[in-house]
Amino acid sequence: MLESVGLLTGSPWIYAMVALSVLLDVFVPVLPSGVLVITAATAAAAGSASGRVPHGVPDILALTLCAATASVLGDLVAYRLAWRGGERLDRAIARSRRLTTAQERLGAALARGGGALVILARFAPAGRSVVSLGAGAAHRRARDFLPWSALAGLTWATYSVALGYYGGQWLGTTWVATAVSVLALFGAGAGAAYVMRRPAKAS
């Protein structure tokens, strides 16, 4: 399977698949966009090692930029939809303790000029959705939110691609390498979720 995906890394289709999956998982968090990015990166490592896919490193860079750009675009779409959501969305957020808490913590973080919460949320399960929708619903300024969204998307994409690529280099381009890389991605997500759940310290 990895060899077949590796052949696609030299065509536009793998990038289209990655972009669509990453863009949509802000609305459907169960989409395995991270797994797809890791699998494509592992396949690229296989192609680079065998010489079947030329210019393996530029392909990895393109994959990283593709995933990061799609991540930011997805955040922007969710942000704008929530901004225009009106009273119905406000009531839905008010009924959700998770969304309300995230909205309050995000507002405090952005007001202090920091956006570590946005970066953490990109790794946590459904955290990206909560933060993007919360920022839009609270009408946070785009210039406060989007730079952190871009940094979060680039950080997540770089980490995911590096896991797949170097996992394939070190462990061999087998399902074992992919499984270990995916577990590392899930581990980062669990750690981010734990940090986000911790109550904020009073200033």
Side-chain angles (χ1 to χ4, degrees):
M1 181 185 72
L2 290 177
E3 185 176 355
S4 299
V5 177
L7 295 175
L8 287 175
T9 56
S11 76
W13 291 109
I14 188 64
Y15 303 113
M17 291 171 59
V18 166
L20 185 62
S21 177
V22 173
L23 193 151
L24 292 179
D25 78 0
V26 70
F27 302 105
V28 189
V30 295
L31 284 177
S33 60
V35 176
L36 180 59
V37 171
I38 285 175
T39 303
T42 305
S48 178
S50 66
R52 294 182 182 178
V53 180
H55 311 299
V57 173
D59 287 342
I60 290 299
L61 294 177
L63 180 63
T64 303
L65 291 175
C66 174
T69 301
S71 178
V72 177
L73 288 176
D75 288 355
L76 179 59
V77 171
Y79 169 85
R80 293 303 300 174
L81 288 176
W83 182 288
R84 300 177 180 179
E87 295 182 0
R88 180 178 298 180
L89 180 62
D90 291 340
R91 289 195 298 269
I93 291 177
R95 289 194 298 267
S96 171
R97 181 180 178 183
R98 186 178 184 183
L99 282 170
T100 301
T101 301
Q103 191 180 73
E104 292 172 353
R105 293 189 64 184
L106 177 64
L110 295 179
R112 292 194 301 268
L117 180 64
V118 180
I119 299 175
L120 279 174
R122 187 60 188 86
F123 288 83
R128 174 192 180 199
S129 306
V130 171
V131 167
S132 297
L133 292 171
H139 289 190
R140 303 296 172 190
R141 294 180 301 179
R143 67 183 183 184
D144 290 335
F145 172 68
L146 287 181
W148 288 106
S149 169
L151 182 58
L154 183 59
T155 302
W156 173 84
T158 301
Y159 179 72
S160 301
V161 170
L163 282 178
Y165 187 77
Y166 290 110
Q169 291 283 332
W170 295 336
L171 300 176
T173 52
T174 65
W175 67 267
V176 175
T178 303
V180 170
S181 299
V182 169
L183 285 175
L185 182 64
F186 287 168
Y194 172 77
V195 173
M196 289 181 67
R197 284 196 298 266
R198 294 176 60 185
K201 294 181 180 180
S203 56

